[in-house]
Amino acid sequence: MDHKEILEKLVYDLIWSWDHRTDQIWFELDPELWALTHNPLVILQTVSRQKLEETLANPYYQQLIDDLGQAMHAAEVNEKSWFRQKYPKSPVTLIAYFSMEFMLSESLPIYSGGLGHVAGDTMKAMNDLGIPVVGIGLLYQQGYFRQVIDQEGAQQAFFPYNSPGQLPIQPTRLPNGEWLRLEILLPGRKLWLRVWEVKIGRIKLYLLDSNDLANYPPDRSITGELYGGSRETRLEQEIALGLGGGKLLEALHLKPEVYHLNEGHAAFAILERCRQYQENNGVSFSEALAATRAGNLFTTHTAVSAGFDRFDPKLLENYLGHYVQDNLHIPFSEFLALGRASPNDPEEPFNMAYLAIHGSGAVNAVSKLHEEVSRNLFSPLFPRWPISEIPIGHVTNGIHVRSWDSSISDDLWTETCGKERWMRDAEEMAEQIRAVPDEKIWQMREKAREQMISFGRFRLTQMLKARCASPEEIEEVKHRFKPRVFTIGFARRFATYKRPNLLLRNLERLERILTNKERPAQLLIAGKAHPADLEGQRLIQEWIAFIKRKEICNSIVFLQDYDMLMTERLVGGVDLWINTPRRPWEACGTSGMKILVNGGLNLSVLDGWWSEAFRPEVGWAIGDRSICSEKEIAARDAKDAEELYNLLEHTIIPEFYKRDAIGIPREWVAKVRESMASLTWSFSTNRSLTEYMDRYYVPAAKAYRERVQDQGFVASEIATWTHAWSEAAIQMRGVEVTSDKEQHHFRALIDLGGLPPEAASVELFASAAKPVSMRATALGEYTADVSKERPASDYTVRVIPRFSGSSVPLENPVILWQK
């Protein structure tokens, strides 16, 4: 290929988005358009032929393009990937990753926030590691809204159209050249979904799009807005993602062992996977569910019950009644039970997270604390089971480091640890960073802050020009912010539980902190409130009102239209990142992880990931690990705000300005170095994906293969076992206890109600102790001996389901207690 052909191929491969070398090319071709869009395809489509030819004739850019072309080729053909080396005979040949949103690049605006960030960074890291995956999402014509803040501080929402011809996507073609289109039945009509593909190195993300002229006109906007529209539109989107995504895999003849559902939005994929298995094997729905659920993984990102998507049963019957009856061949009531905690309650709405749990072989939260929260949230599905045994694990999220490191920090890491550092031993890399001199780290931080401030001035200038500001106001921006002043970053979705206005509880004190003549501080703020969240929008207005104060207008700015590019620039240069959610409502949080590679430090509530990461050597924490009640919220907010002010005023900012004879803050740099060394890899997607592989993907693939082999013999046996348990009338006829000097001797008489002995486990249970299996000594008689370290009254007998290879209580939550 010549150099132009390499560029034309590169714009459709999103590996360019985390390779700093590509920035030079697009900037050279059109610096203004690159700054505005960060969309290489648009630049290549609009650059003049003369400018393109001049650039391609330059030997420097010729070499750069050749290097990028080789990198693309190497990514496609690499046979020595981490995955192939660690799992040479892996049962995993393909993973299907479903998500409502993917944050891959600002040139593909199909994301809102945290969920999309996790999905996008996971896909990028899977490419790096060579994990076989296919992504499935939706192509939104308008995506998430774009934000403008008016003169009064009110948020205005705009939905510009995303022209597919200007996005790094291409139609998915059938072997005969036809554009792949999928058909889904909606009430009284067909819905056609077009299929687009996004290339991310060696892997592909497929996006489904309802904007097809063959559709009923209102249906063309089903994939219009992300998280917009009515409940009916949301249901239609989730049908498109789940059922459409499953049909897509079938149409492409892809047969993943593992379906990874990134949140409950995609849970209908469980149904389509069952349908296909039923059709191909001629079995019942219960057998199909037993076979396929072993290969389904559900990741929950929600920390409050209100965050789960729920639908009215009548609406569901209108949309899915025909599908359930004609394809799954089960009564609609049986389908509704999959989305309920109380199957016989006709008023209970259908919960998509419940469907995901009832149809998966494993469930995980996204931080250690979130695991505890999720066990409580989902406890209604496991009545009478101890909270500690509710089957939810966790993999703490991570970030794709190469997507979030600034070019300046990238240079330092490359010089210190090598080009392929993120694929190397983490401990070795940490020690190399610990050996970097203070001077180098501080120089990197000074340059990064200066680069970020230049970006902030640029975005603020754009905003003022759009408001028709005077030339004097625009000129003044050039002097806004100082490159050597302590800089705080605070950017996130504006929602009440995130407490974005905790800093505003004492305006005079915040003003004093920012305008201290000896130790000044400056604050960059950004964030959106959902268009329907009026309270979140009011919080933004409070900030805008404060910023208008004459005394502090040069020390603080609200940057409108928070997006991926703005995030990249902020996390690249801020000295301190603040996060103030109400514990434990932040499932994980990833914004603070992004600053680690760049040498920023965190000040956060002990929630989500920071609850695991915090040590005094790497940052600061607000509050303690307790959880307050509704009545205590106001007092907790006041206490946390006071602590926030005290830490900034008396500890953090003084430490930043405590310099030695040559102007280096040694104590500050020590924290920066240790944070970079000990936390960067630990909270990366490389780490999180190694955990997913070991804990979930490989076990899920093995279990799925075992259940479907031999015409699904094991799955059929599990379905029979599950049904038998639902029909059994188990009775505990009596428990006797005798004690000697050393042990308690328990004897239980149990009628298994027709179940064979091997179908159940009888255990002796005491809180905070491992259950003790009771031995069957005769028909219906079980015994166990335990130490007298605890009184006999601490123990109780229980009966639970047992089947080799099944997951109890996830697949069978029945439990019988003595007391």
Side-chain angles (χ1 to χ4, degrees), residues 138-150:
L138 300 178
L139 177 66
Y140 302 98
Q141 291 106 57
Q142 295 170 297
Y144 201 54
F145 77 98
R146 307 308 298 261
Q147 179 195 57
V148 170
I149 305 297
D150 67 19

Side-chain angles (χ1 to χ4, degrees), residues 13 15 18 75-76 78 81 121-133 199-203 400 402 423 689:
D13 189 337
I15 62 169
W18 66 84
E76 292 172 354
N78 186 4
S81 67
D121 276 22
T122 296
M123 294 291 286
K124 292 175 181 178
M126 283 179 162
N127 167 75
D128 294 345
L129 297 172
I131 297 173
V133 67
K199 191 171 184 296
I200 312 165
R202 75 189 82 195
I203 65 178
H400 184 250
R402 294 170 66 190
M423 306 302 294
L689 278 170

Side-chain angles (χ1 to χ4, degrees), residues 79 98 114 228 511 652 672 694:
E79 296 294 325
F98 293 78
E511 180 181 319
I652 297 173
V672 168
D694 291 338

Side-chain angles (χ1 to χ4, degrees), residues 286 716-730 751-760 801-803 811-812 814:
S286 60
S716 178
E717 291 288 297
I718 289 176
T720 300
W721 163 76
T722 303
H723 178 72
W725 262 92
S726 68
E727 298 291 321
I730 303 174
D751 180 356
L752 292 180
L755 289 173
E758 64 272 13
R802 178 177 64 187
F803 192 97
E811 294 188 83
N812 196 339
V814 179

